[in-house]
Amino acid sequence: MKWYLTEPLQCVFRGRILSAQVVSAMPDRRGLRLFPLSLLLLPILSFGQLQLSNIFSANMVLQRNAPIHIWGKAVPGRMVTVSFARQCRQATVQQDSAWSVSFQKQKENARPQSLFIACGDEKIELQNILVGDVWLCSGQSNMEWPVQREMHWKEESRNAHQSLVRLNNPPPAGRNVYGVAYTDSLNRRLTTDSFYAWHGWDTCDSNTVKDMSAVGYYFAKRIVEKEGIPIGLINLSIGGAPLETFISRDALQNDKRFAAKVRGDWLRNEQLPGWIRERGKQNVGNHPEGYKDDLGLNHAYKPGFAYESGVKPLLNFPIKGVLWYQGESNSLEKERVDEYKDLLHLLIDDYRRKWKQPDMPFYWVQLSSIDTATYSSQYWPQFRDGQRRLLNEVKRGGMAVCSDIGFQNNVHPTNKKDVGERLARWALQQVYGEDIVPSGPLPLNAVYHKGKIIVTFRYARQLRTADGNGLRGFSLDGKTGAAATIVNDRVVIRSEQTPAFLYYGWKPFTDANLVNDEGLPASTFKLKINDR
C-alpha cells in the first residue's frame, strides 16, 4: 500500500487546538481513504468501525445553499471529528452507533475539496468533492434507459467527459430481470438495506456514464453548459415500477383516497395495477420464505418499498429537485389512469414535506406516443391530459412533452436527448432565472364565437406546424379530425354549433404537429369550450 502526506487537519477539541499531518492510503472503490492520525487527536478505535452513510463517497456533489449534513456509524461513546471547507465539527457517537454533524451552507464551488472524518486512529478522506445542485432522477424504464442505448450515443460518447457532472447510479435488485422467478441471490437483496447497490459517486466520462439515465445525463449536461455549476445526479429509477412503490407508506395510508393500496397482501390488492402484481408473482410469488411484512413479500413494485429503500435514506441529504419519468405501469386500467394525477400530486407533496422544501422543483415527463397494436395504450390520451392538468396544481412544477418523439410499436423511444433538454428548460427558467421558453404550447382556453372556436395558448409565440404541412391533431369529439388553422398565434376551428369539448393529440400514437417558435410540441389536451 502506498502512503503519502496530504493537507494538515486542525480542530478544537476540549478547549485545545489539535493539529495533525494526515497520512493517507490509496482509495478503495468508493474513493474512501483510511489512515491513522497523530495521537494528538482522538482515542484509538479499532480499524474498520468508522462508517459513513452510503450516499457519501469521493467525487460527490453536495447541495449548495443548504446545510450540509454528514452522518454514519462508529463505536458508541467515541468522538467523531469531521472537517470540510475550513470548518470542523465534532459529535459523540450515540448508543445506537449513529453520529451526525452539520456544516454551514456553502456557495457553489467547482474546485475539488476533501472531506475528512476521524475517530481515534481511524480516518476517512473523501476527495474531489464539489458543491452545486443535486437532482434526484426517478421513475421507471424510460428514466432508467441508459446513455449507451440512447440514439445519440455514438456521437455523444466523444463529448461525455463532463467533469462538473457527477453520477450516483445504484442498481436496484432485479434490474433487467423480467417475467421469471428471482434467484436466491436476488431474493437476498430484497431488504430495504440491500435493495439498491450503492457503489458511490463517479465523475462523468464516456465509461462511467454508459449505464446512467440518459434523460438525467442530458439534463445535467445542459444545465452545466448554461450555468457552469456542478450538477450531481442520483438515479433511483426501476424498470416497470408503479408510482405506488415510490410513495411512503404513511402518505398512502393517511390519504383516504389511497389508503386501500396499503391494506393486505399487495400481490392480491386490486387497488394496484394488475400488470405489476402479475410481474411480482412471477418474480417472488413462489418464494414464500422471502422477506415480507403485513403487506406481503418484498419486491421493487410493492407499495412504499422503493421509497423506504432509496428515498428515505436520502432525506437528510439536501437536493435541489426531482426529475420524474414514470406512468406506463399505471396507464393500463381506467381506474389507475383516473387517479394518477392525484396520486402523483400526493408523492410531490410528500417529498417536499419530508425534505422540508415546500417549493422544491419537481419536473415530470409526459408519456410519449405508442400505437395500440402492440401495447395497451388506449388510455394514453387521458393519461397525458391528466399529467398536463397537474401543471395547474403544482407550484414550481414543469412537464416535458415528448409525444412527438414516441415510437409507434415500442414503449421505449430512444431519443432521450430531447427529453432531458426539455426538462432542463423548466429548470433553467424557474431555478436558474434564464430568459427561456420552458415548454411547447399549453392551452389556456377555447371560446366559441360566431361559428368559430378560438383557442389561446401559453408559450405560443409564432405558432406553426412541425413539418410545414397543414395543422393536424384537433378534434371536436375525440375521434374525428377537425380542420384547424393558425391565425395570429391562435388556433381557429370552424363549427356550426358549440361543441362541449375540444381535443388535441387525442390518439395513443398521435401525429399532431402544433409547435411554437422554439420547435417545442403542444401538449395533448381536452378543453371545455365556452361561449363568448
Side-chain angles (χ1 to χ4, degrees):
M1 181 172 288
K2 185 176 180 180
W3 300 83
Y4 59 92
L5 294 178
T6 182
E7 64 184 84
L9 175 67
Q10 187 176 82
C11 296
V12 177
F13 177 56
R14 294 180 180 174
R16 293 192 299 153
I17 296 178
L18 307 179
S19 299
Q21 186 74 26
V22 175
V23 183
S24 67
M26 294 301 289
D28 70 1
R29 64 180 298 183
R30 285 182 62 206
L32 306 183
R33 296 178 180 272
L34 301 175
F35 43 84
L37 284 178
S38 162
L39 295 179
L40 287 173
L41 285 178
L42 304 176
I44 294 175
L45 182 65
S46 61
F47 184 83
Q49 297 297 310
L50 180 60
Q51 300 176 30
L52 279 169
S53 172
N54 288 330
I55 189 58
F56 300 110
S57 81
N59 308 312
M60 66 180 170
V61 174
L62 296 173
Q63 180 59 46
R64 63 175 176 156
N65 302 325
I68 295 173
H69 303 296
I70 310 294
W71 69 94
K73 291 186 177 182
V75 172
R78 300 293 191 179
M79 185 71 73
V80 175
T81 303
V82 185
S83 176
F84 180 69
R86 301 183 182 276
Q87 301 179 52
C88 185
R89 298 289 185 270
Q90 293 180 318
T92 301
V93 183
Q94 303 301 304
Q95 288 303 306
D96 62 357
S97 300
W99 61 266
S100 67
V101 299
S102 294
F103 290 90
Q104 296 174 356
K105 300 176 182 179
Q106 302 285 320
K107 294 181 179 180
E108 62 269 18
N109 190 344
R111 180 180 61 84
Q113 301 181 79
S114 291
L115 174 72
F116 300 93
I117 308 97
C119 190
D121 66 347
E122 194 173 11
K123 187 168 188 304
I124 298 172
E125 178 187 358
L126 307 182
Q127 294 188 328
N128 196 24
I129 296 171
L130 307 181
V131 180
D133 285 341
V134 179
W135 291 86
L136 176 66
C137 306
S138 197
Q140 56 184 108
S141 55
N142 273 307
M143 178 63 84
E144 187 181 55
W145 195 261
V147 175
Q148 64 182 331
R149 297 177 65 189
E150 199 271 339
M151 65 180 290
H152 301 92
W153 169 241
K154 185 176 181 180
E155 175 185 358
E156 188 62 31
S157 62
R158 298 190 291 268
N159 306 309
H161 181 72
Q162 301 285 331
S163 62
L164 295 187
V165 176
R166 303 300 172 84
L167 314 172
N168 198 326
N169 187 29
R175 174 170 283 178
N176 300 323
V177 179
Y178 302 116
V180 297
Y182 281 171
T183 61
D184 288 343
S185 60
L186 277 181
N187 276 298
R188 284 193 293 270
R189 284 186 58 193
L190 293 181
T191 69
T192 55
D193 291 334
S194 302
F195 176 68
Y196 284 105
W198 296 91
H199 296 319
W201 293 79
D202 291 305
T203 299
C204 181
D205 60 35
S206 59
N207 183 50
T208 60
V209 79
K210 284 182 179 179
D211 292 322
M212 188 59 181
S213 163
V215 171
Y217 165 74
Y218 286 113
F219 171 90
K221 182 184 176 186
R222 184 62 173 151
I223 300 299
V224 169
E225 287 174 346
K226 291 289 290 184
E227 305 302 316
I229 65 170
I231 296 293
L233 299 175
I234 303 172
N235 180 26
L236 297 183
S237 54
I238 304 169
L243 178 57
E244 288 86 346
T245 189
F246 296 103
I247 305 177
S248 66
R249 180 171 176 175
D250 64 287
L252 289 168
Q253 64 190 17
N254 291 332
D255 191 306
K256 63 182 181 180
R257 297 168 298 177
F258 306 119
K261 292 179 180 290
V262 284
R263 291 178 188 154
D265 185 351
W266 75 277
L267 292 173
R268 295 172 175 81
N269 189 338
E270 294 185 358
Q271 296 300 312
L272 300 171
W275 182 87
I276 65 104
R277 290 185 284 121
E278 177 184 351
R279 182 57 54 82
K281 291 174 184 176
Q282 292 170 342
N283 295 153
V284 300
N286 293 324
H287 192 70
E289 302 305 316
Y291 297 107
K292 58 185 175 181
D293 58 18
D294 60 309
L295 294 185
L297 292 163
N298 287 354
H299 188 273
Y301 300 170
K302 181 180 179 179
F305 187 75
Y307 171 87
E308 196 72 19
S309 303
V311 177
K312 185 177 179 180
L314 299 179
L315 295 178
N316 286 323
F317 188 82
I319 63 174
K320 187 63 178 181
V322 178
L323 308 178
W324 183 260
Y325 193 165
Q326 191 279 334
E328 295 90 343
S329 290
N330 291 77
S331 72
L332 306 178
E333 301 149 349
K334 187 176 186 304
E335 294 79 7
R336 307 287 78 84
V337 172
D338 290 344
E339 72 184 6
Y340 187 85
K341 176 177 72 68
D342 293 337
L343 194 59
L344 182 56
H345 202 165
L346 176 67
L347 179 145
I348 296 170
D349 289 345
D350 190 45
Y351 282 20
R352 288 174 168 178
R353 181 169 56 253
K354 298 285 178 55
W355 258 290
K356 300 178 182 177
Q357 297 183 59
D359 294 326
M360 182 172 71
F362 193 103
Y363 303 130
W364 60 94
V365 181
Q366 189 183 57
L367 290 191
S368 61
S369 292
I370 187 171
D371 202 349
T372 56
T374 58
Y375 193 85
S376 298
S377 57
Q378 62 269 29
Y379 299 117
W380 276 38
Q382 294 92 324
F383 196 99
R384 293 194 298 257
D385 192 44
Q387 292 176 294
R388 176 195 66 84
R389 288 184 286 114
L390 186 60
L391 280 173
N392 299 323
E393 302 176 13
V394 176
K395 183 181 178 182
R396 298 271 279 185
M399 182 184 72
V401 176
C402 61
S403 52
D404 60 324
I405 54 177
F407 281 174
Q408 186 168 2
N409 296 309
N410 192 330
V411 75
H412 298 118
T414 56
N415 180 1
K416 305 303 186 193
K417 184 175 187 288
D418 282 348
V419 180
E421 292 182 350
R422 289 173 188 180
L423 286 171
R425 283 178 168 271
W426 284 101
L428 287 168
Q429 189 214 44
Q430 292 186 353
V431 175
Y432 302 104
E434 297 287 345
D435 183 14
I436 189 173
V437 176
S439 173
L442 295 173
L444 291 173
N445 58 62
V447 175
Y448 183 79
H449 181 64
K450 295 183 178 180
K452 297 179 182 178
I453 302 166
I454 302 172
V455 193
T456 57
F457 297 85
R458 191 179 184 189
Y459 311 125
R461 188 172 59 187
Q462 297 180 21
L463 289 182
R464 58 183 175 84
T465 61
D467 52 12
N469 296 323
L471 187 56
R472 299 188 302 270
F474 286 90
S475 172
L476 301 180
D477 60 5
K479 299 176 183 178
T480 308
T485 57
I486 298 170
V487 180
N488 297 325
D489 290 338
R490 298 181 179 185
V491 169
V492 177
I493 302 163
R494 294 188 176 277
S495 177
E496 294 182 359
Q497 6 180 328
T498 309
F501 295 97
L502 177 66
Y503 301 80
Y504 176 77
W506 210 256
K507 296 177 182 178
F509 184 73
T510 176
D511 62 351
N513 63 349
L514 179 65
V515 299
N516 59 17
D517 63 334
E518 297 286 331
L520 298 171
S523 170
T524 292
F525 65 81
K526 176 183 177 182
L527 202 63
K528 181 175 172 45
I529 298 175
N530 300 304
D531 283 311
R532 179 177 293 181

